[in-house]
Amino acid sequence: ARIIMNCKKSLKDFGMKNLQITAYTQHFIRQQVMPGDICIDATMGNGNDTVLLSRLAGENGRVLAFDIQKQALEHTEERLKKDDCPENYQLFLDSHENMAAYAEAETVSCITFNLGYLPGGDHSVATRADSSKRAVESGLTLLKKGGLMTICIYSGGDTGFQERDAMLSFIRQLCLLYTSPSPRDTER
């Protein structure tokens, strides 16, 4: 599985001048998601990624979207209908850490996270590092071979910097775990 998260490398290196991080990750999502795919928007917010995933997965695909705020669910549902998206989505008023209860292991093509608070919402209600770590770990079991996970971290506010630092450390550990040779590889 590929995880796109820490974008310290210049966007210019990818021929993408003046892009926001969400546009950057959407570039990779567009390359990944095919008609008929199963996708997850782990943090639906105002529905931008849910709309993109719905369109890309098409009528035969399936999109699962999660948020703990009713306002996010309502905004996303309105947006999906307004944008005339295929009715291939399910919106859940549930934490992203529970996504494994809604999808089978190794079946999901793409999972996207936007960590932080709901844009235009209550900034005191935001994702937290502990539940986000559990969600990422869970998501990795859901991704099919060659799947993609994107993680955008909005730092700032009351807990944003703490979540950012904890998630970056966690992702670094995951990268070491997934890129380290197995003991069998080093025995040869």
Side-chain angles (χ1 to χ4, degrees), residues 86-97:
E87 292 186 22
N88 60 356
Y89 52 85
Q90 292 177 278
L91 309 180
F92 298 100
L93 189 60
D94 199 355
S95 173
H96 55 336
E97 69 183 306

Side-chain angles (χ1 to χ4, degrees), residues 131-146:
S131 64
S132 295
K133 287 179 195 177
R134 287 189 295 270
V136 168
E137 286 178 322
S138 176
L140 289 172
T141 69
L142 299 177
L143 284 176
K144 65 183 183 180
K145 186 173 182 168

Side-chain angles (χ1 to χ4, degrees), residues 4 7 11 14 16 19-28:
I4 298 172
C7 300
L11 296 180
F14 294 95
M16 298 181 219
L19 287 184
Q20 290 187 326
I21 189 62
T22 51
Y24 176 76
T25 59
Q26 287 176 358
H27 167 81
F28 293 99

Side-chain angles (χ1 to χ4, degrees), residues 47-115:
N48 296 323
D49 289 330
T50 310
V51 166
L52 176 64
L53 294 171
S54 175
R55 287 181 173 157
L56 294 172
E59 290 183 14
N60 295 320
R62 187 169 155 225
V63 177
L64 309 174
F66 299 86
D67 210 293
I68 59 169
Q69 295 183 72
K70 188 174 182 180
Q71 179 184 5
L73 195 114
E74 291 168 351
H75 286 168
T76 299
E77 189 166 34
E78 287 173 23
R79 175 98 193 271
L80 288 159
K81 289 178 181 177
K82 182 182 80 120
D83 289 359
D84 200 30
C85 290
E87 292 186 22
N88 60 356
Y89 52 85
Q90 292 177 278
L91 309 180
F92 298 100
L93 189 60
D94 199 355
S95 173
H96 55 336
E97 69 183 306
N98 297 323
M99 70 176 98
Y102 301 90
E104 293 182 29
E106 299 179 11
T107 62
V108 177
S109 174
C110 180
I111 302 173
T112 183
F113 290 84
N114 287 298
L115 303 179

